[in-house]
């Protein structure tokens, strides 16, 4: 399924690496497999393994090693607030708490509609623009810098609307 | 003049050398970059210089690695094993050290100068392929670089038989997926190869055994962005910037309790005082500076007394105040901050990022995080502080890669140099009990 649906993109990815080093394509292929639902299905891992000539256990261990890959269904969007040292010195922890209070959830929880999960993460290389967070979805990552609780809450509201229409269009969560 | 501060903060006659987009915001467009002399160095090396000559110029310039270790760049290129082929270049754009945000600005603002540096390095070691390894969070940045690379290909600056010679070069981006350890060069190579991002035993070093087992040069983004200038203006010119042993300019990422956090491009050897007070606008609010970390979360804690503030930020001087310059990610800590709290923050980071390959680091970061947690919560005794120190000493020097040592820096120097903060935290628990 995966292999057929994305055959052109898979070929383009493979062409970046020497033919005898196909395994090097595993990371971009996992991103591709995660695009629609923000997690990698067992089936996709098997197909990636076949394309690369490695075992699906190998693929699963790569998925497990890196924090931006997921092997389970989760929220449509992840709001990842940096609370690492430099940002914490500029009020990032209070910002995260304020945002969670505003949304009525705790850190690590998802809004009741399943749309947005809010979590704390390590440094995102934007320490001079705290408070800041990134939004991860299956098809990308975006940075949001110099935030206030209000600006972040209105972005979350927008993400929840988007998630709803995504679901209506049958893209799953 | 600096747009933000109105101060002459640029490195050379009021002109930026690396953050050139601050002078010319459209420099990320190919025609603008070329109009300003961009890719002339690239054409010059291919059409008129031997690879070894390029390496010699970089050697003479005194350029040292900007990724943390400060290793002489030209010397690294000269180590490449010419009996084993093909060769590769890997540009380290992992930028995950807390407090570091300079490579991102370079690649966003001045992408062609960086890519030109990658290309010149590739020619110097006769590599036909180069990979730019970006941390996974730089997703949009990778897409941006892909477009810039495509523009270079379309203009005949990358691809086959460049400038009518037999030399070919392709540059590819490769996205990581959230793992600080992949900034360590051998973990990065494993990661590109599609394996777990865990460091290799060294030696052999990448110039003899690197990507796919082939000779490889790994250099930081900022390091490579210096290279076109060195070719264009010459090694002597570059040496004239900075100090005798720390040549050139450096981007200092300034963060923490300062009025104007941000990137500052300054000559190596600028003092902490000038960075923090002149450029950074001083400490936020009514506070005093208490401590400085010069190399992000991996730093020793510098006691911010007058002597420390007057210390030049270069590779030789920072060790005099018991620390390293590293990637020059200067985190400023004011007198409202409790050092045990700060150390607990760094321990969360290192415990999260330890790749788990060696026991002292895996177990040690776990214990140090829990001990600092107890101290911060006010449920620890002085013995716990001794224990914390013991654990750190058992990790230090016993690990496969430098992450293990990094995790002990703030712990050991914090206990040694800011002891009253620990006594206070522990006394708090005595009262609470
Ligand atoms: C745990 C760890 C993380 C590192 N992270 C980075 C990084 O994000 N960027 C970087 O350029 N170098 C990083 N380094 C240093 C690299 O291993 C390597 O020394 C550097 O890329 C060499 O390039 P340079 O000589 O141009 O500095 C890290 C090292 C360690 C031990
Ligand atoms: S020191 Fe830590 S990060 Fe480095 S290899 Fe060992 S376990 Fe991994
Ligand atoms: S500490 Fe938050 S982006 Fe660096």
């Amino acid at each position: 399924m995966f292999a057929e649906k994305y055959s052109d993109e898979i070929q383009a990815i493979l062409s970046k690496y020497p033919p005898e080093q196909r395994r090097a394509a595993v990371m971009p292929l996992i991103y591709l497999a995660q695009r629609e639902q923000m997690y990698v299905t067992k089936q996709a891992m098997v197909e990636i393994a076949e394309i690369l000539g490695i075992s699906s256990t190998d693929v699963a261990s790569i998925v497990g090693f890196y924090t931006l890959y997921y092997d389970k269904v989760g929220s449509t969007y992840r709001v990842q607030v940096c609370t690492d040292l430099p940002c914490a010195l500029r009020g990032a922890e209070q910002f995260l708490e304020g945002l969670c209070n505003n949304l009525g959830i705790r850190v690590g929880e998802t809004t009741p509609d399943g749309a947005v999960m809010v979590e704390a993460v390590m440094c995102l290389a934007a320490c001079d623009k705290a408070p800041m967070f990134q939004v991860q979805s299956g098809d990308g990552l975006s940075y949001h810098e110099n935030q206030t609780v209000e600006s972040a809450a209105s972005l979350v509201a927008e993400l929840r609307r988007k998630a709803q229409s995504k679901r209506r269009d049958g893209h799953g969560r | 003049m600096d747009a933000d501060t109105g101060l002459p903060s640029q490195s050379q006659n009021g002109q930026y050398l690396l953050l050139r987009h601050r002078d010319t915001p459209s420099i990320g467009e190919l025609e603008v970059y070329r109009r300003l002399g961009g890719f002339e160095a690239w054409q010059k090396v291919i059409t008129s210089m031997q690879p070894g000559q390029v390496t010699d110029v970089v050697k003479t310039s005194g350029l040292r690695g900007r990724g943390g270790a400060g290793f002489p760049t030209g010397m690294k290129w000269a180590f490449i094993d010419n009996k084993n082929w093909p060769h590769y270049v890997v540009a380290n754009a992992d930028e995950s050290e807390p407090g570091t945000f300079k490579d991102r600005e370079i690649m966003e603002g001045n992408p062609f100068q960086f890519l030109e540096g990658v290309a010149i390095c590739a020619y110097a070691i006769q590599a036909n392929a180069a990979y730019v390894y970006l941390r996974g969070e730089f997703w949009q940045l990778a897409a941006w670089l892909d477009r810039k690379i495509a523009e270079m290909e379309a203009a005949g600056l990358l691809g086959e038989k460049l400038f009518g010679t037999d030399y070919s070069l392709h540059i590819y981006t490769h996205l990581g997926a959230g793992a600080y350890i992949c900034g360590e060069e051998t973990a990065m190579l494993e990661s590109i190869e599609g394996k777990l991002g865990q460091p290799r035993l060294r030696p052999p070093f990448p110039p003899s055994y690197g990507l796919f087992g082939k000779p490889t040069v790994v250099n930081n983004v900022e390091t490579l962005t210096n290279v076109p200038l060195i070719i264009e203006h010459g090694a002597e010119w570059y040496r004239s910037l900075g100090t005798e042993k720390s040549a050139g300019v450096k981007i200092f990422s300034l963060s923490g309790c300062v009025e104007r956090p941000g990137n500052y491009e300054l000559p190596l050897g600028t003092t902490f005082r000038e960075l923090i007070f002149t450029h950074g606008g001083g400490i936020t609010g009514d506070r005093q500076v208490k401590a400085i970390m010069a190399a992000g979360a991996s730093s020793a804690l510098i006691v911010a007394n007058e002597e420390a503030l007057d210390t030049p930020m270069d590779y030789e001087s920072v060790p005099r105040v018991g620390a390293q310059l590293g990637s020059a990610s200067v985190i400023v800590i004011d007198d409202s901050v409790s050092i045990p709290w700060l150390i607990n923050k760094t321990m969360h980071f290192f415990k999260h990022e330890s790749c788990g390959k060696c026991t002292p680091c895996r177990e040690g970061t776990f214990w140090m995080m829990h001990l600092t947690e107890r101290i911060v919560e006010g449920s620890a005794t002085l013995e716990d502080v001794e224990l914390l120190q013991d654990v750190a000493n058992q990790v230090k020097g016993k690990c496969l890669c430098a992450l293990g040592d990094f995790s002990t820096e703030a712990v050991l120097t914090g206990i040694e140099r800011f002891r009253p903060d620990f006594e206070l935290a522990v006394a708090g628990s005595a009262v609470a009990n």
Side-chain angles (χ1 to χ4, degrees), chain B residues 128-139:
Chain B
N128 302 115
Y131 291 91
V132 180
Y133 186 103
L134 300 111
R135 61 179 297 175
E137 292 81 357
F138 289 171
W139 181 304

Side-chain angles (χ1 to χ4, degrees), chain B residues 173-229:
Chain B
T173 57
H174 184 101
L175 263 189
Y180 167 68
I181 191 58
C182 290
E184 194 281 336
E185 57 186 18
T186 59
M188 176 168 289
L189 301 174
E190 293 284 297
S191 178
I192 301 176
E193 291 180 7
K195 301 173 188 151
L196 295 187
Q198 293 182 316
R200 295 176 182 166
L201 204 64
R202 292 172 303 166
F205 292 95
S208 48
Y209 187 91
L211 185 61
F212 308 128
K214 298 298 177 187
T216 301
V217 162
V218 184
N219 269 138
N220 169 260
V221 169
E222 184 187 351
T223 311
L224 292 165
T225 305
N226 278 281
V227 170
L229 300 171

Side-chain angles (χ1 to χ4, degrees), chain B residues 343-364:
Chain B
I343 293 173
N344 179 244
K345 270 280 173 207
T346 67
M347 284 320 307
H348 266 280
F349 176 78
F350 289 114
K351 151 129 202 316
H352 188 259
E353 301 300 341
S354 167
C355 81
K357 190 166 178 172
C358 35
T359 315
C361 171
R362 188 181 61 237
E363 305 276 315

Side-chain angles (χ1 to χ4, degrees), chain B residues 8 43 57 117 147 186 203 212 221 230 252 270 299 311 320 329 351 356 363 418 428:
Chain B
Q43 177 158 10
V57 173
R147 288 204 295 281
T186 59
F212 308 128
V221 169
I230 293 169
F252 297 89
T270 304
S299 309
T311 300
R320 291 209 301 266
S329 314
K351 151 129 202 316
E363 305 276 315
F418 295 90

Side-chain angles (χ1 to χ4, degrees), chain B residues 148-171:
Chain B
K148 298 294 123 184
I149 291 167
E151 285 170 31
M152 286 174 67
E153 281 169 354
L157 295 162
L158 284 177
E160 307 297 319
K161 299 202 180 295
L162 295 167
F163 300 106
T165 68
D166 276 339
Y167 181 69
S168 307
L169 176 64
H170 293 274
I171 301 180

